[in-house]
Amino acid sequence: MVPRKALTLALLVLATAAAASPDDDAADRYLTLNEAVAFALQHDPQYRAAVYGQQAGAEFSVLGRAALLPSVQLGGNVARNRQDRKVEQGQFGRIEDTRFFESNNVSVRLTQPLYSVDNLGRYRDGMARAGLSDQTFAIQVQELKARVVERYTALLNATERVRILDAEGEALMHQSRVAQRRFDRGEATRLEVTQVRTAMERWRADILAARGALAQARQALAASIGPTAVDEHTVVFDARDAALPLGAADFETWMADALEISPAVRAAEGAIEVAQAEVTRARGQRLPRLDAYASYTSSDSDTAVTVGQSFDTGSVGLQVSMPLYLGGAAQANLRQARARLSQARAERDAEVGRIALELRQLFDQVRALGQQHYALLAAADAAADNVRAAELGVAGGTDSLGDVLAVMRTEREVQIQLLDTRYGWVNAYARLHALAGLLDDRAIARVSAALQGGTPPPAVDRPPTETRTPPAKAVPRLQLSPKLKMGGPIEAQR
């Protein structure tokens, strides 16, 4: 007779398998990596903030050009005046009266800087800050795409873990029935039955943890691409024979391209340009300034002595201004600006060093994980053969169910290690491109096609990649139905 716990677990496995089977309507609703990135560009709040920041930064170029262009100012006033007049006339006495009059004044002045080091510094500062804003935005775009790749593959990983554990649960149920039959016939000891029960309890703990990780992975991806995109699409995860030509060219090529293309390096160079502009502005505080101006003024009763008189005055001239004493502020500003320039150059060198170190680590990681991936493919095949051999050994009386359970657990561990290695390989590949500033639409399409088991588009305008395709196997592609409750307890899905 099958124990109650074993029956409960059997029902659980059947319910899980039924929930995991896709319906006909959802069979074609796949969420590819390309689509996930497209959704993130519309939904991700960090990206939207970066877009607004880039739009604000682009205005620095207009502000910089304005420092060198002419400016036109319009001024005017209208007033109601009261004048108490006292006029001494000597022997003729004294006149005292009060009169009211209106006065108005309108003036237009055009000013064109001819020589101003400060304005030149403002222009350079605006152009440098606009360029820095563009590079900062480019960094955030690369980070967004790498983040979506990581969250997408995390969901794939978690989904496949659940599938592997579901298959293990079914196998354990079969072994439980085998153990009970052998025990009833006197061919097995109670120890074997207990071993199977222990394995099933361990499996129960593992499936609970896997489903919790699946719910978290789903929520993390939804935070980037929106919950609607996750709910309305079926997630396609790659089969074991997915083509992952994610090699890397020689490191010197990657390093040269990173120094030329990486937005992080360009942003560090942009910070140097901003600091140089600050030095120019600081120098301009101690230098003379020359402006050309033209003005036109129309006034009526502008002063108390011109009551009832109106004037139209036009002027064209040059204006020179020269600071003589600023209390030491000009020298302090110049020293401060030069120190910041040295700081920016040192930070640029530090950034180049950081990129070189991380690029080397990611480069080595991509190659190592690729080699591990293919080795683990062979290990997974060998583990599956061991399980079949152990089951035949039990049937022939040479092995015990404990041996079967041991090789089954080994097979599960190898499969999960293969998952971690495969998606770690994809993430390292994406991070390598992001660090070099090469995680563009073509790179995303390449990874997306590889994950779907298709033929990736060729790499263009980037370091050449080594292509190594594992042996093809006829493994069906699995689907995750939107109806599957990814985050709740197992009991809720019975």
Side-chain angles (χ1 to χ4, degrees), residues 209-368:
R211 290 201 177 279
L214 179 58
Q216 293 176 4
R218 187 182 182 91
Q219 292 167 2
L221 182 61
S224 289
I225 71 174
T228 303
V230 176
D231 292 338
E232 293 182 352
H233 288 75
T234 297
V235 175
V236 178
F237 45 90
D238 56 325
R240 287 183 54 201
D241 62 337
L244 297 177
L246 307 182
D250 59 282
F251 177 74
E252 289 72 18
T253 302
W254 276 99
M255 190 63 202
D257 286 343
L259 293 179
E260 180 181 357
I261 302 173
S262 172
V265 175
R266 292 187 174 183
E269 296 286 352
I272 293 178
E273 294 179 3
V274 172
Q276 289 174 334
E278 291 180 355
V279 171
T280 302
R281 292 186 59 184
R283 288 178 53 244
Q285 292 182 354
R286 303 186 302 172
L287 298 175
R289 171 178 178 143
L290 177 62
D291 296 317
Y293 72 91
S295 66
Y296 172 79
T297 303
S298 177
S299 60
D300 182 15
S301 302
D302 191 34
T303 65
V305 297
T306 59
V307 175
Q309 303 179 39
S310 61
F311 301 92
D312 292 331
T313 306
S315 302
V316 176
L318 299 176
Q319 178 176 304
V320 179
S321 61
M322 175 67 183
L324 297 180
Y325 178 71
L326 298 175
Q331 293 82 353
N333 287 335
L334 182 58
R335 291 192 299 268
Q336 186 181 65
R338 286 173 175 170
R340 287 177 176 170
L341 176 59
S342 300
Q343 177 186 5
R345 287 171 174 166
E347 290 175 347
R348 186 270 314 273
D349 295 339
E351 185 68 12
V352 170
R354 180 191 69 83
I355 289 177
L357 178 60
E358 292 187 10
L359 200 69
R360 167 59 74 178
Q361 293 173 343
L362 289 170
F363 176 84
D364 294 341
Q365 190 176 10
V366 167
R367 289 200 163 182

Side-chain angles (χ1 to χ4, degrees), residues 158-171:
T159 303
E160 280 206 70
R161 280 175 182 261
V162 172
R163 178 186 62 84
I164 291 172
L165 288 169
D166 285 343
E168 183 186 22
E170 294 179 2

